[in-house]
Amino acid sequence: KFHDNCLYQQIQWIFLTHYFLTLILSRVMLFLAWGVFVPFAVQASLLRKLLPEGGIWFQIHRGLNTISLALFIAGFAISVATTNKEEQPHFSNPHRRMGLAMFIMAILQVIGGIVRPHNPLEGEKKKPVRVGWEVGHRVLGVSLLACGFWQMYEGILLYGVKYSTDESDEEAITIAYWVWISVMIAVMVLGGAFFKFRN
């Protein structure tokens, strides 16, 4: 009986450890997607004048967005599987519903990027369909980025409530998060505005 209890405790510890590590891994992937790769992809577009000519900015933009989408899909799938394992209703709170909305929006953004109207040749005027696509692509991209920033912050708060983390630890993580995000936003806004008005 003693050995059976020990074995049960070991199996339970392994399961909980695996579950917790998987949960942490999914959060890391989601942060890398929306807190690192997507902002860098946007910066590659806005600050393209700083990069070598020849479409390098577009290759970086597309590559980073591709990586972020793969991480987002993986993190989203793990989150859905975790909710299912915990036998909780799916998309039952604003954080989960926002995650679903972002998933749909991200897929639409990628599809839009694939089927985008061609850029006119040098000297040619942009067609209305291209202008409309550019506006839509930017609006949806900014919306996704803003949702991602809110979603990550909300995730920190929900994690603290769910696992009763120490308030000082949660505050330190929150401060570090907003410092990083503020730097990302500053580079995008100030850098984009500089080159916009410079031209």
Side-chain angles (χ1 to χ4, degrees), residues 113-133:
I114 294 173
V115 301
R116 67 190 181 280
H118 291 294
N119 218 359
L121 298 175
E122 188 175 350
E124 292 182 348
K125 188 177 180 181
K126 288 183 180 179
K127 294 181 179 180
V129 65
R130 173 70 191 193
V131 175
W133 175 84

Side-chain angles (χ1 to χ4, degrees), residues 10-186:
Q10 289 176 353
I11 293 174
Q12 188 178 42
W13 181 83
I14 292 172
F15 173 79
L16 290 174
T17 302
H18 178 267
Y19 168 81
F20 186 73
L21 289 176
T22 303
L23 193 65
I24 293 296
L25 177 62
S26 69
R27 273 44 184 179
V28 170
M29 288 191 295
L30 292 171
F31 172 75
L32 288 174
W34 294 105
V36 179
F37 290 118
V38 170
F40 282 170
V42 175
Q43 290 166 15
S45 177
L46 294 175
L47 309 179
R48 66 185 72 176
K49 297 292 184 182
L50 298 176
L51 298 172
E53 296 182 359
I56 297 297
W57 76 267
F58 179 73
Q59 301 301 326
I60 296 173
H61 180 76
R62 182 172 59 183
L64 291 176
N65 276 324
T66 300
I67 295 172
S68 67
L69 179 65
L71 290 170
F72 183 37
I73 291 174
F76 182 84
I78 292 174
S79 297
V80 171
T82 300
T83 301
N84 190 56
K85 187 178 289 290
E86 294 175 348
E87 298 182 350
Q88 296 183 15
H90 292 285
F91 315 116
S92 57
N93 61 36
H95 182 75
R96 292 172 180 169
R97 287 192 289 271
M98 177 64 79
L100 176 60
M102 287 181 62
F103 185 81
I104 296 171
M105 292 164 65
I107 296 298
L108 291 176
Q109 181 78 331
V110 170
I111 293 174
I114 294 173
V115 301
R116 67 190 181 280
H118 291 294
N119 218 359
L121 298 175
E122 188 175 350
E124 292 182 348
K125 188 177 180 181
K126 288 183 180 179
K127 294 181 179 180
V129 65
R130 173 70 191 193
V131 175
W133 175 84
E134 289 182 358
V135 172
H137 186 71
R138 289 167 184 164
V139 169
L140 186 55
V142 170
S143 299
L144 271 167
L145 198 56
C147 290
F149 291 162
W150 178 86
Q151 186 78 333
M152 288 184 287
Y153 171 63
E154 190 73 8
I156 294 173
L157 299 181
L158 290 173
Y159 184 89
V161 171
K162 185 174 183 178
Y163 295 102
S164 302
T165 57
D166 186 86
E167 288 187 10
S168 60
D169 292 339
E170 183 179 334
E171 184 178 352
I173 292 174
T174 301
I175 292 173
Y177 168 74
W178 281 119
V179 167
W180 173 258
I181 295 302
S182 296
V183 172
M184 293 294 99
I185 293 174

